[in-house]
Coordinates of all heavy atoms in Angstrom, one line a residue:
S118 N -12.9 7.5 -3.3 CA -12.3 8.1 -4.5 C -11.1 8.9 -4.0 O -11.0 9.2 -2.8 CB -13.3 9.0 -5.1 OG -13.6 10.2 -4.3
A119 N -10.2 9.1 -4.9 CA -9.0 9.8 -4.6 C -8.4 10.5 -5.8 O -8.6 10.1 -6.9 CB -7.9 8.8 -4.0
E120 N -7.7 11.7 -5.6 CA -7.0 12.4 -6.6 C -5.5 12.1 -6.4 O -4.9 12.5 -5.3 CB -7.2 13.9 -6.4 CG -6.5 14.7 -7.5 CD -7.0 14.7 -8.8 OE1 -8.3 14.3 -9.0 OE2 -6.4 15.0 -9.8
A121 N -5.0 11.3 -7.3 CA -3.6 10.9 -7.1 C -2.6 11.8 -7.8 O -2.9 12.3 -8.9 CB -3.5 9.4 -7.7
Q122 N -1.5 11.9 -7.2 CA -0.4 12.7 -7.9 C 0.9 11.9 -7.9 O 1.2 11.3 -6.9 CB -0.2 14.0 -7.1 CG -1.3 15.0 -7.2 CD -1.6 15.5 -8.6 OE1 -0.7 15.7 -9.4 NE2 -2.8 15.8 -9.0
G123 N 1.6 11.9 -8.9 CA 2.9 11.2 -9.1 C 2.8 9.7 -9.3 O 1.7 9.1 -9.3
L124 N 4.0 9.1 -9.6 CA 4.1 7.8 -10.0 C 5.4 7.3 -9.5 O 6.4 7.9 -9.7 CB 4.0 7.7 -11.5 CG 4.0 6.2 -12.1 CD1 2.7 5.5 -11.7 CD2 4.1 6.3 -13.6
A125 N 5.4 6.1 -8.8 CA 6.7 5.5 -8.2 C 6.9 4.2 -9.0 O 6.1 3.6 -9.6 CB 6.4 5.3 -6.8
P126 N 8.2 3.7 -8.8 CA 8.7 2.6 -9.5 C 7.9 1.2 -9.2 O 7.9 0.3 -10.0 CB 10.1 2.5 -9.1 CG 10.5 3.8 -8.8 CD 9.3 4.5 -8.2
D127 N 7.3 1.2 -8.0 CA 6.7 0.0 -7.6 C 5.2 0.0 -7.7 O 4.5 -0.8 -7.1 CB 7.0 -0.4 -6.1 CG 6.6 0.7 -5.1 OD1 6.1 1.7 -5.6 OD2 6.8 0.6 -3.9
G128 N 4.7 0.9 -8.5 CA 3.2 1.0 -8.7 C 2.6 1.9 -7.8 O 1.3 2.1 -7.8
D129 N 3.3 2.5 -6.8 CA 2.8 3.4 -5.8 C 2.3 4.7 -6.4 O 3.0 5.1 -7.5 CB 3.9 3.6 -4.8 CG 3.3 3.9 -3.4 OD1 2.0 4.1 -3.3 OD2 4.0 4.1 -2.5
V130 N 1.4 5.4 -5.8 CA 1.1 6.8 -6.2 C 1.1 7.6 -4.9 O 1.2 7.1 -3.8 CB -0.3 6.9 -7.0 CG1 -0.3 6.1 -8.3 CG2 -1.4 6.4 -6.1
F131 N 0.9 8.9 -5.1 CA 1.0 9.8 -3.9 C -0.4 10.3 -3.6 O -1.1 10.9 -4.3 CB 1.9 11.0 -4.3 CG 3.3 10.6 -4.7 CD1 4.0 11.3 -5.7 CD2 3.9 9.4 -4.2 CE1 5.2 10.8 -6.2 CE2 5.1 9.0 -4.6 CZ 5.8 9.8 -5.6
L132 N -0.8 10.0 -2.3 CA -2.1 10.5 -1.8 C -1.9 11.2 -0.6 O -0.9 11.0 0.1 CB -3.0 9.2 -1.5 CG -3.3 8.2 -2.7 CD1 -4.2 7.1 -2.1 CD2 -4.1 9.0 -3.8
T133 N -2.9 12.1 -0.2 CA -2.8 12.7 1.1 C -3.4 11.8 2.2 O -4.0 10.9 2.0 CB -3.7 14.0 1.0 OG1 -5.1 13.6 0.9 CG2 -3.4 14.9 -0.2
E134 N -3.0 12.2 3.5 CA -3.4 11.5 4.6 C -4.9 11.5 4.7 O -5.5 10.4 5.1 CB -2.8 12.0 5.9 CG -1.3 11.8 5.9 CD -0.8 10.4 5.9 OE1 -1.6 9.5 6.5 OE2 0.2 10.0 5.2
E135 N -5.5 12.6 4.3 CA -7.0 12.7 4.4 C -7.7 11.6 3.5 O -8.7 11.0 3.8 CB -7.5 14.1 4.1 CG -7.1 15.1 5.1 CD -5.7 15.5 5.0 OE1 -5.0 15.2 4.0 OE2 -5.2 16.0 6.1
Q136 N -7.1 11.5 2.3 CA -7.7 10.5 1.4 C -7.5 9.1 1.8 O -8.4 8.2 1.6 CB -6.9 10.7 0.0 CG -7.2 11.9 -0.8 CD -6.3 12.1 -2.0 OE1 -5.1 11.8 -1.9 NE2 -6.9 12.5 -3.0
V137 N -6.4 8.8 2.5 CA -6.2 7.5 3.0 C -7.1 7.0 4.2 O -7.4 5.8 4.3 CB -4.7 7.3 3.4 CG1 -4.4 6.0 4.1 CG2 -3.8 7.4 2.1
Q138 N -7.5 7.9 5.0 CA -8.1 7.6 6.3 C -9.3 6.6 6.2 O -9.5 5.8 7.1 CB -8.4 8.8 7.1 CG -7.2 9.6 7.6 CD -7.6 10.9 8.3 OE1 -8.7 11.3 8.3 NE2 -6.5 11.5 8.9
S139 N -10.1 6.8 5.2 CA -11.3 6.1 5.1 C -11.2 4.8 4.3 O -12.1 4.1 4.0 CB -12.5 6.9 4.5 OG -12.1 7.3 3.1
F140 N -10.0 4.5 3.8 CA -9.7 3.3 2.9 C -9.7 2.0 3.8 O -9.0 1.9 4.8 CB -8.4 3.4 2.2 CG -8.2 2.4 1.1 CD1 -8.8 2.4 -0.1 CD2 -7.3 1.3 1.4 CE1 -8.7 1.5 -1.0 CE2 -7.1 0.4 0.4 CZ -7.8 0.4 -0.8
Q141 N -10.4 1.0 3.3 CA -10.6 -0.2 4.1 C -9.7 -1.3 3.4 O -9.6 -1.5 2.2 CB -12.0 -0.8 4.0 CG -13.0 0.2 4.6 CD -12.7 0.4 6.1 OE1 -12.6 -0.6 6.9 NE2 -12.6 1.7 6.5
V142 N -8.9 -2.0 4.2 CA -7.9 -3.0 3.8 C -8.3 -4.4 4.2 O -8.6 -4.6 5.3 CB -6.5 -2.7 4.4 CG1 -5.5 -3.7 3.8 CG2 -6.0 -1.3 4.0
P143 N -8.4 -5.3 3.2 CA -8.8 -6.7 3.6 C -7.7 -7.4 4.2 O -6.5 -7.1 4.0 CB -9.2 -7.3 2.2 CG -8.3 -6.5 1.2 CD -8.3 -5.1 1.8
S144 N -8.1 -8.5 5.0 CA -7.1 -9.4 5.6 C -7.0 -10.6 4.8 O -7.8 -10.9 3.9 CB -7.5 -9.6 7.0 OG -7.6 -8.5 7.8
C145 N -6.1 -11.5 5.2 CA -5.9 -12.8 4.5 C -7.2 -13.5 4.6 O -7.8 -13.7 5.7 CB -4.8 -13.6 5.2 SG -4.6 -15.3 4.6
A146 N -7.7 -14.1 3.5 CA -8.9 -14.8 3.4 C -8.9 -16.2 4.1 O -9.9 -16.7 4.6 CB -9.4 -15.1 2.0
R147 N -7.6 -16.6 4.4 CA -7.4 -17.9 5.0 C -7.3 -17.8 6.5 O -7.9 -18.6 7.2 CB -6.1 -18.5 4.4 CG -5.8 -19.9 5.0 CD -4.5 -20.5 4.4 NE -4.2 -21.7 4.9 CZ -3.0 -22.3 4.6 NH1 -2.2 -21.8 3.8 NH2 -2.7 -23.5 5.2
C148 N -6.5 -16.8 7.0 CA -6.3 -16.8 8.4 C -6.6 -15.4 9.1 O -6.5 -15.3 10.3 CB -4.8 -17.2 8.8 SG -3.6 -15.9 8.4
G149 N -6.9 -14.4 8.3 CA -7.1 -13.1 8.8 C -5.9 -12.2 9.0 O -6.0 -11.2 9.6
G150 N -4.7 -12.7 8.6 CA -3.5 -12.0 8.9 C -3.3 -10.8 7.9 O -4.1 -10.7 6.9
P151 N -2.3 -9.9 8.1 CA -2.1 -8.8 7.3 C -1.4 -9.3 5.9 O -0.7 -10.2 5.9 CB -1.1 -8.0 8.1 CG -0.4 -8.9 9.0 CD -1.4 -10.0 9.3
L152 N -1.7 -8.6 4.9 CA -1.2 -8.9 3.6 C -0.1 -8.0 3.1 O -0.1 -6.8 3.5 CB -2.4 -8.8 2.5 CG -3.6 -9.7 2.8 CD1 -4.7 -9.5 1.8 CD2 -3.1 -11.2 2.7
K153 N 0.8 -8.5 2.4 CA 2.0 -7.8 1.9 C 2.3 -8.2 0.4 O 2.1 -9.4 0.1 CB 3.2 -8.0 2.7 CG 4.5 -7.5 2.3 CD 5.6 -7.9 3.2 CE 7.0 -7.5 2.6 NZ 7.3 -8.2 1.3
P154 N 2.7 -7.3 -0.5 CA 3.1 -7.7 -1.8 C 4.3 -8.7 -1.6 O 5.1 -8.6 -0.7 CB 3.6 -6.4 -2.4 CG 3.0 -5.3 -1.7 CD 2.8 -5.8 -0.3
D155 N 4.4 -9.7 -2.5 CA 5.5 -10.6 -2.5 C 6.7 -10.0 -3.1 O 7.2 -10.5 -4.1 CB 5.0 -11.9 -3.3 CG 6.1 -13.0 -3.1 OD1 7.0 -12.9 -2.2 OD2 6.0 -14.0 -3.9
V156 N 7.2 -9.0 -2.5 CA 8.4 -8.2 -2.9 C 9.3 -8.0 -1.7 O 8.8 -8.0 -0.5 CB 8.1 -6.9 -3.7 CG1 7.2 -7.2 -4.9 CG2 7.4 -6.0 -2.7
V157 N 10.6 -7.8 -2.0 CA 11.5 -7.4 -0.9 C 11.5 -5.8 -0.8 O 12.0 -5.1 -1.6 CB 12.9 -7.9 -1.3 CG1 13.9 -7.4 -0.2 CG2 12.9 -9.4 -1.4
F158 N 10.9 -5.3 0.3 CA 11.0 -3.9 0.6 C 12.3 -3.5 1.0 O 13.1 -4.3 1.4 CB 10.0 -3.6 1.7 CG 8.5 -3.5 1.2 CD1 7.5 -3.9 2.1 CD2 8.1 -3.1 0.0 CE1 6.2 -3.9 1.8 CE2 6.8 -3.0 -0.4 CZ 5.9 -3.4 0.5
F159 N 12.6 -2.2 0.9 CA 13.8 -1.7 1.4 C 14.0 -2.0 2.9 O 13.0 -1.8 3.6 CB 13.9 -0.1 1.2 CG 14.3 0.2 -0.2 CD1 13.3 0.1 -1.2 CD2 15.6 0.7 -0.6 CE1 13.6 0.4 -2.6 CE2 15.9 1.0 -1.8 CZ 15.0 0.9 -2.9
G160 N 15.1 -2.4 3.3 CA 15.4 -2.8 4.7 C 15.1 -4.3 4.9 O 15.5 -4.8 6.1
D161 N 14.6 -5.0 4.0 CA 14.4 -6.4 4.1 C 15.6 -7.1 3.4 O 16.4 -6.4 2.7 CB 13.1 -6.9 3.5 CG 12.7 -8.3 3.9 OD1 13.4 -8.8 4.8 OD2 11.7 -8.7 3.3
T162 N 15.7 -8.4 3.5 CA 16.8 -9.2 2.8 C 16.2 -10.2 1.9 O 15.0 -10.7 2.1 CB 17.6 -9.9 3.8 OG1 16.8 -10.7 4.7 CG2 18.3 -8.9 4.7
V163 N 16.8 -10.5 0.9 CA 16.4 -11.5 -0.1 C 16.6 -12.9 0.6 O 17.6 -13.2 1.4 CB 17.3 -11.5 -1.4 CG1 16.9 -12.6 -2.4 CG2 17.2 -10.1 -2.0

């Protein structure tokens, strides 16, 4: 569970580091690699 504050343009919200530490992130179901939204983050190129 988490108490979120704020709202960002990409659907992000603001959480504390303590809230994040226990969160589990799944890997790619096909190869086990890391997952990323299919978007161009700042610092990347189209």
Side-chain angles (χ1 to χ4, degrees):
S118 64
E120 178 76 18
Q122 295 292 329
L124 184 67
D127 59 359
D129 206 356
V130 297
F131 307 141
L132 301 176
T133 65
E134 291 301 322
E135 292 74 20
Q136 290 171 317
V137 168
Q138 286 175 358
S139 63
F140 188 76
Q141 300 297 308
V142 180
S144 300
C145 173
R147 180 181 177 184
C148 77
L152 300 175
K153 174 186 173 294
D155 187 14
V156 300
V157 178
F158 283 145
F159 281 75
D161 194 9
T162 57
V163 180

